[in-house]
Amino acid sequence: METTAEQLPADVCETAIGDAFSELEMGAWGGFLRTHAKLVRELDEELTRVHGLPLSSFDVLVQLANAPDDRMRLSQLADAVLLSRSGLSRLVTRLVDQGLVERTECASDARGAFAALTDEGRRRLDEARATHRAGVRARFLDRLSESQQRQLAAAWRRLAS
């Protein structure tokens, strides 16, 4: 016999998969999902409005800037920015068209290609970084005490391991 919502204790929330989360669990999980979505949406809108650079493009430029020689294989870049290979390929094509990234074929592997940050890409990234950092601080970091930031950082490390 299936349990209905009316039969569940008051501190339990029904999920789409049929298992119940407690109110605390739902607050932690649902709060993470809602907060992440809200922050990403707001940061994306701000970067797009101020710099004409969506958050996904900003992320690609950051990854390239942090890579040796400002370049990465497209397969590694897709993993770093959490996009599918086809999604990254379309994004890199747009960035190439904007002059922010250069795409080169791999001499030793005909199937492989590299994306490299251009001087214009570096300039646009440098302009957008201050806006992004200020947005992250205002919407997230400044709302947490130093102790809360440490606790959250420890939780992320634990979850990622």
Side-chain angles (χ1 to χ4, degrees):
M1 183 172 160
E2 202 170 302
T3 303
T4 65
E6 294 82 28
Q7 295 170 317
L8 293 172
D11 64 342
V12 175
C13 300
E14 193 69 19
T15 67
I17 58 173
D19 292 334
F21 284 145
S22 71
E23 190 174 326
L24 176 62
E25 289 171 328
M26 198 61 205
W29 178 242
F32 164 76
L33 292 176
R34 284 187 300 280
T35 300
H36 177 267
K38 180 180 187 281
L39 291 173
V40 166
R41 183 178 58 253
E42 289 177 1
L43 293 169
D44 180 66
E45 289 170 357
E46 183 175 50
L47 282 173
T48 301
R49 180 176 33 80
V50 176
H51 300 284
L53 197 65
L55 188 57
S56 57
S57 298
F58 176 82
D59 191 14
V60 166
L61 299 182
V62 167
Q63 297 300 324
L64 292 174
N66 291 333
D69 300 321
D70 293 343
R71 68 183 222 146
M72 293 176 76
R73 288 183 76 102
L74 289 180
S75 59
Q76 294 170 316
L77 185 56
D79 292 341
V81 298
L82 305 176
L83 286 174
S84 67
R85 305 249 194 281
S86 62
L88 177 72
S89 183
R90 290 189 297 273
L91 178 54
V92 166
T93 296
R94 287 193 300 274
L95 295 172
V96 167
D97 292 345
Q98 295 171 23
L100 306 179
V101 169
E102 181 178 68
R103 184 185 197 135
T104 58
E105 300 307 314
C106 179
S108 62
D109 179 1
R111 298 171 298 155
F114 287 94
L117 190 63
T118 64
D119 290 341
E120 177 63 10
R122 167 78 62 192
R123 186 187 69 72
R124 292 278 302 280
L125 173 61
D126 289 344
E127 288 175 353
R129 271 188 167 145
T131 300
H132 180 69
R133 288 177 180 147
V136 169
R137 286 187 176 107
R139 292 174 178 87
F140 185 66
L141 297 172
D142 291 348
R143 295 178 171 197
L144 300 170
S145 69
E146 185 177 328
S147 174
Q148 290 170 321
Q149 288 180 35
R150 289 182 195 287
Q151 289 172 341
L152 196 52
W156 299 142
R157 282 192 300 275
R158 190 169 51 254
L159 291 168
S161 64

